[in-house]
Amino acid sequence: MKNKDNRIAVVTHAPFPNGNVSTMRYTSYMKALAEFGVFCYVLIYCPTRMAANIKQSSGVFENINFQYATDITWKKYNILCKAIYLFKGLFNSVSYLNKQKINTVILYGDNLFIVNLFYWIYCKITNKKFIGDRSELPSVEIRNSKFKMFVYGMKQRMFDGMIIMTRQLMQFYRQYSKKEDFLYFLPMTIVPSRFDGIKKDIKDSPYIAVVFGTHNRDGLLESLKSFELYCKKGGKYNLWLIGDYKNMPNYSELDFHIKSSEYTERIFILGRLANDKVPGILYNASILLTTPNSYISGGFPTKLGEYMLSGVPIVATKAGELLDYIVPDMDMLMSNPGDINNISDNLLRVENDFPLAKTLADNAKKKALRVFCADSYVKSLLLFLTK
């Protein structure tokens, strides 16, 4: 089959073309497939609040066709409204997928059982390949319930194959099929064009940038404590926080820490920003900081891939599978999780040693483009999706 005859769709509830890390994940490999000559289609089967800034319900973005099966975002947000939109979106999606003559469907992320079942039946009837894409373990709530784990397992067994993001996840999801080729390992991938056209904006007050999620695995409290100690040791940079701060599970603790800090006037909370606004913040930072204590699903976070691509020096902790890819003191400065003193020292090293900062930034960017670019995987990924 020629590449142009391969017609692949990602079906998801994550917004497109701008959205969250899920959007970045599937966009990276769909863009690589599109550049390889494959027809790529993103179908959003239900509205999402994260798409509030998206104006077009259909179109083409970087050679990827997209379509919202219902409204882009919710007009009313209640159980009845959500149910109506869900079923409307599912049935509308059949028409869109048929019209585009899709022959492989990738169901991205964890979805309701009825969503998996619906697309499994559709793919069986129409003889399409049905692929899952998982970048996380099931939630603790699911893992603590035998019944919920049974249902979760049923969903995974519906797939003809699965795209998996980390080695730890590979071990977990092997239990759902005896086929040797059931899983495809696709580590964190980046979109190299994310920083295209961004200009350097020289700030009067240089800053350290921290991007975090509301799942509380990014160690934001440790970042704050490290920054405070860095300031006490003579650090001059400010701190910019990018994320949904008010919805953090430990918001009260974080807020108390910031307001009681003697350096509170040097901490700026930018809040949650549109996905296309983040690269400019990263690119113009003096240091990028991330201090997770662990990653439940192992792996290498998309956020850190973006950090590396920005060309800005990074201070990080040794969590997940980072050391499988990163060489400490060459690609970035790294500390053990929770080692506030060492993290603050590393921030000072980057601030005070420009040659070191430039070397770290250059090495990290080169590694990101070499190791985490989806172009490196496109041929084997296409074979997995279509064989």
Side-chain angles (χ1 to χ4, degrees):
M1 183 182 288
K2 296 179 180 179
N3 288 347
K4 65 179 181 180
D5 296 324
N6 293 310
R7 304 178 72 83
I8 297 172
V10 165
V11 176
T12 180
H13 53 74
F16 187 84
N18 296 316
N20 54 16
V21 291
S22 296
T23 306
M24 291 163 56
R25 165 69 171 171
Y26 70 71
T27 298
S28 63
Y29 62 74
M30 289 293 273
K31 185 174 183 292
L33 288 167
E35 291 175 351
F36 200 59
V38 176
F39 177 83
C40 291
Y41 189 64
V42 173
L43 180 65
I44 301 90
Y45 66 80
C46 68
T48 169
R49 288 180 291 181
M50 290 182 290
N53 295 321
I54 295 173
K55 306 302 179 185
Q56 289 181 286
S57 61
S58 63
V60 181
F61 177 77
E62 295 189 344
N63 297 320
I64 302 171
N65 295 263
F66 69 92
Q67 176 70 57
Y68 283 79
T70 60
D71 292 343
I72 296 175
T73 190
W74 303 102
K75 289 184 171 62
K76 294 182 179 180
Y77 195 73
N78 56 57
I79 294 177
L80 178 60
C81 180
K82 290 173 70 174
I84 292 172
Y85 271 115
L86 174 61
F87 285 104
K88 180 182 177 182
L90 291 177
F91 287 105
N92 283 351
S93 66
V94 169
S95 173
Y96 289 123
L97 293 171
N98 287 341
K99 181 180 179 181
Q100 299 297 341
K101 300 180 180 178
I102 299 300
N103 44 41
T104 299
V105 172
I106 303 171
L107 184 60
Y108 185 87
D110 190 24
N111 297 270
L112 295 173
F113 180 83
I114 193 171
V115 174
N116 279 62
L117 181 63
F118 180 88
Y119 288 112
W120 175 75
I121 293 172
Y122 167 71
C123 289
K124 285 294 183 184
I125 292 173
T126 57
N127 197 32
K128 296 177 180 9
K129 194 161 186 181
F130 187 38
I131 303 294
D133 185 331
R134 300 298 291 123
S135 57
E136 293 185 341
L137 292 168
S139 67
V140 174
E141 179 185 356
I142 292 174
R143 297 202 304 274
N144 287 340
S145 166
K146 289 184 178 180
F147 174 73
K148 289 180 179 179
M149 276 301 294
F150 173 75
V151 173
Y152 188 84
M154 287 181 65
K155 292 194 298 182
Q156 313 318 309
R157 291 185 179 96
M158 293 178 188
F159 296 123
D160 297 312
M162 298 181 71
I163 300 170
I164 302 297
M165 190 174 185
T166 76
R167 292 184 176 89
Q168 182 178 333
L169 291 177
M170 290 284 285
Q171 294 176 359
F172 176 83
Y173 284 101
R174 279 197 184 101
Q175 65 184 294
Y176 297 118
S177 177
K178 294 182 179 179
K179 295 191 300 181
E180 290 186 5
D181 59 351
F182 180 66
L183 302 180
Y184 179 85
F185 178 54
L186 182 64
M188 184 280 299
T189 48
I190 57 172
V191 180
S193 60
R194 281 272 287 168
F195 289 86
D196 288 355
I198 298 177
K199 297 180 180 179
K200 206 70 177 176
D201 181 14
I202 306 300
K203 301 289 184 184
D204 292 334
S205 300
Y207 61 91
I208 300 165
V210 176
V211 178
F212 60 91
T214 53
H215 37 58
N216 199 28
R217 64 186 174 204
D218 290 321
L220 183 55
L221 183 60
E222 284 74 16
S223 292
L224 289 169
K225 290 179 178 179
S226 300
F227 174 74
E228 188 169 30
L229 185 54
Y230 151 86
C231 292
K232 288 180 179 178
K233 293 177 178 179
K236 300 295 191 295
Y237 297 163
N238 292 330
L239 181 68
W240 289 20
L241 305 178
I242 303 99
D244 195 358
Y245 174 71
K246 290 187 176 180
N247 285 318
M248 289 292 290
N250 60 339
Y251 167 73
S252 297
E253 182 182 17
L254 293 169
D255 209 47
F256 175 80
H257 189 87
I258 291 173
K259 290 178 179 177
S260 61
S261 171
E262 60 182 296
Y263 304 103
T264 185
E265 293 183 356
R266 292 174 57 182
I267 301 173
F268 298 85
I269 303 169
L270 277 65
R272 183 176 177 175
L273 301 179
N275 199 35
D276 59 342
K277 302 296 183 185
V278 176
I281 302 293
L282 301 183
Y283 185 75
N284 284 289
S286 296
I287 306 175
L288 301 177
L289 174 65
T290 180
T291 58
N293 292 311
S294 66
Y295 291 113
I296 294 174
S297 301
F300 198 105
T302 302
K303 172 188 69 180
L304 189 53
E306 286 243 303
Y307 275 20
M308 295 172 69
L309 188 62
S310 71
V312 174
I314 302 164
V315 172
T317 49
K318 302 171 184 176
E321 296 168 7
L322 268 61
L323 293 180
D324 290 348
Y325 303 94
I326 298 301
V327 179
D329 293 332
M330 288 187 64
D331 302 322
M332 61 187 71
L333 298 186
M334 304 191 77
S335 306
N336 291 321
D339 191 343
I340 306 303
N341 186 58
N342 189 249
I343 296 168
S344 63
D345 284 344
N346 283 338
L347 291 172
L348 282 171
R349 282 183 66 193
V350 175
E351 178 182 337
N352 295 325
D353 190 338
F354 178 78
L356 171 66
K358 188 176 188 310
T359 298
L360 293 171
D362 290 345
N363 288 345
K365 185 172 183 177
K366 289 175 183 176
K367 179 160 287 187
L369 290 171
R370 185 178 74 254
V371 177
F372 299 121
C373 184
D375 293 346
S376 305
Y377 302 87
V378 67
K379 290 184 180 180
S380 60
L381 175 60
L382 180 60
L383 180 62
F384 173 78
L385 294 174
T386 57
K387 65 181 179 182

